Amino acid sequence: MSLFDENVRLEPAPRQPWRRGTVIGVWSLTVAVIVLFVLTFVPSAYVIQQPGPVYNTLGTSPNADGEQVPLITVPNEQDDTTTGQLDLLTVQVSGNRERTPSWIELAMAWFDRSRAVVPIDRIFPAGQTTEQRTSENAALMSDSQLEASAAALRQLGYDVPAEIAVGTIDDQGAAAGLLQQGDVLLSVDGAPASNVDAVRSAVQKAAGAPVTVAYQRDGADATVQITPQQTTVNGQQQYLLGVGLMQSFDLPVDVKIQLNDVGGPSAGMMFALGIIDKMSPGDLTGGQHIAGTGTIDADGNVGPIGGIRQKLYGALDAGATYFLAPESNCNEVVGHVPDGIRVFSTSTLDQSMTVLETIRDNGDLDALATCGSGS
């Protein structure tokens, strides 16, 4: 009995053609893979903002040697038993002009609520290198710490004298040859030079007319008339003396702030609250975990910052249950508050203190200012 018949030919069954939909799908997938591969090497014009490290102003931070040291140090510290936290928040930027994120990275960030895709020019202005930006942010951080120290001490009742001095002079500016670097401004048209904004306001008020500047040079008082130069900034007329001003303070208390590898001015308010807590008896936090952000000036005014949505998620991830947001950032907060954290708005250091005291004393939180229905 034979199992095979050598006279019979076996041929394979004819291959069925692909359906039109299958062909389209295969080609679409192929094109998509090729596009993604090409986009991996095509530079973008965007960077990614994401939550950065969180630091407790009442705790420690690593110094240049990696050793943990108190983030804020004040003489005769009053509060060394706090169980709560006052967190300052940071934002990390992924990418720079030398290396931008790939389009795949941008696509992934686009669908992540804790991250933001922003134009590179907003973070790195044209012509500015990464090193220049780092240096500028370091200077802003140093100024922020000084302003925060002055604001905190004034809040505690200390007298903190301030000086407004000429830091730089434009060789082609209105004050060239009239003022010198280091001159201490006393007044402009009789208005005290109490801060940089006061000087600017007095100059703008003159609307281009000559202003009388009283100043002190080498211990001697003098006055000079300067005719501001007119310019246009963002479509608005402005008048300039052509000088860069710097503000210094005579702090009656030696406040030291140790925070490496963090730049910018946005930690100012939390620095001030940390200083106040350490210099006051009792626990300002009431044992609660509170985070916040905002610039601050020596008069205690809280200003806007960047990346507040990323900071909200950074605070939540760090375990904070309350968040202090600058009132001027509220339009970015509403509708973007993650579950599990409660946001209060603030425009002054005094208002921030009221929020902390209400939390500490189990007061009526509903009576505090918020950023609207989103909080």
Side-chain angles (χ1 to χ4, degrees):
M1 180 178 178
S2 175
L3 295 178
F4 300 99
D5 188 342
E6 63 274 9
N7 295 318
V8 178
R9 294 185 60 188
L10 299 177
E11 295 186 8
R15 180 178 297 174
Q16 297 295 322
W18 284 358
R19 294 181 180 179
R20 185 169 181 271
T22 303
V23 173
I24 293 174
V26 170
W27 276 108
S28 297
L29 179 60
T30 302
V31 171
V33 170
I34 293 173
V35 169
L36 288 175
F37 179 77
V38 171
L39 286 178
T40 302
F41 301 97
V42 176
S44 66
Y46 300 90
V47 292
I48 299 169
Q49 286 184 327
Q50 57 195 21
V54 176
Y55 300 92
N56 177 18
T57 60
L58 305 179
T60 62
S61 69
N63 62 15
D65 297 324
E67 178 186 359
Q68 290 292 325
V69 297
L71 196 151
I72 296 174
T73 304
V74 296
N76 304 317
E77 182 175 331
Q78 298 292 310
D79 182 17
D80 57 359
T81 59
T82 182
T83 57
Q85 290 187 212
L86 288 173
D87 288 348
L88 66 86
L89 307 154
T90 66
V91 173
Q92 286 183 330
V93 177
S94 176
N96 52 44
R97 289 197 175 275
E98 290 75 33
R99 189 273 178 192
T100 58
S102 70
W103 289 97
I104 295 177
E105 292 173 311
L106 293 174
M108 294 174 63
W110 185 266
F111 294 100
D112 186 342
R113 294 188 65 188
S114 69
R115 298 194 287 171
V117 176
V118 298
I120 194 169
D121 287 340
R122 190 187 303 176
I123 308 298
F124 299 96
Q128 185 186 56
T129 65
T130 302
E131 290 74 17
Q132 289 172 330
R133 178 178 181 271
T134 300
S135 177
E136 179 182 317
N137 280 335
L140 290 171
M141 169 59 78
S142 179
D143 290 343
S144 172
Q145 293 176 358
L146 188 59
E147 296 270 0
S149 299
L153 293 177
R154 287 177 176 176
Q155 181 75 22
L156 291 169
Y158 288 90
D159 179 29
V160 184
E163 284 187 349
I164 305 297
V166 176
T168 58
I169 298 180
D170 182 351
D171 292 339
Q172 305 299 318
L178 300 175
L179 293 175
Q180 295 180 9
Q181 188 175 13
D183 287 348
V184 176
L185 303 191
L186 304 176
S187 66
V188 177
D189 275 352
S194 54
N195 54 50
V196 174
D197 286 338
V199 173
R200 289 173 178 163
S201 295
V203 172
Q204 302 311 310
K205 184 178 179 180
V211 295
T212 300
V213 178
Y215 64 95
Q216 187 178 81
R217 181 184 298 166
D218 298 328
D221 293 351
T223 60
V224 64
Q225 273 204 335
I226 304 175
T227 303
Q229 294 179 345
Q230 181 179 326
T231 186
T232 301
V233 179
N234 295 328
Q236 295 184 336
Q237 287 186 344
Q238 290 190 10
Y239 301 92
L240 306 176
L241 295 180
V243 297
L245 301 177
M246 56 184 185
Q247 185 166 248
S248 61
F249 302 96
D250 183 11
L251 299 179
V253 175
D254 183 19
V255 177
K256 293 181 180 178
I257 299 177
Q258 173 72 58
L259 184 61
N260 288 322
D261 300 324
V262 177
S266 64
M269 180 185 69
M270 298 309 293
F271 282 146
L273 292 174
I275 293 168
I276 293 171
D277 185 278
K278 282 180 169 280
M279 293 187 64
S280 305
D283 186 353
L284 185 59
T285 68
Q288 298 296 320
H289 193 158
I290 303 165
T293 186
T295 65
I296 201 165
D297 63 22
D299 294 324
N301 298 305
V302 175
I305 52 82
I308 192 164
R309 295 180 187 175
Q310 287 69 56
K311 291 179 179 180
L312 282 165
Y313 281 95
L316 181 68
D317 291 343
T321 51
Y322 300 104
F323 189 98
L324 295 174
E327 182 182 49
S328 41
N329 280 117
C330 274
N331 62 319
E332 302 173 73
V333 171
V334 174
H336 297 279
V337 180
D339 293 336
I341 196 165
R342 188 166 184 177
V343 178
F344 302 101
S345 69
T346 178
S347 59
T348 66
L349 181 58
D350 190 62
Q351 202 172 9
S352 300
M353 288 289 295
T354 297
V355 173
L356 295 189
E357 289 164 354
T358 304
I359 293 173
R360 178 195 62 192
D361 299 336
N362 295 317
D364 184 8
L365 298 180
D366 292 333
L368 298 174
T370 68
C371 282
S373 60
S375 60

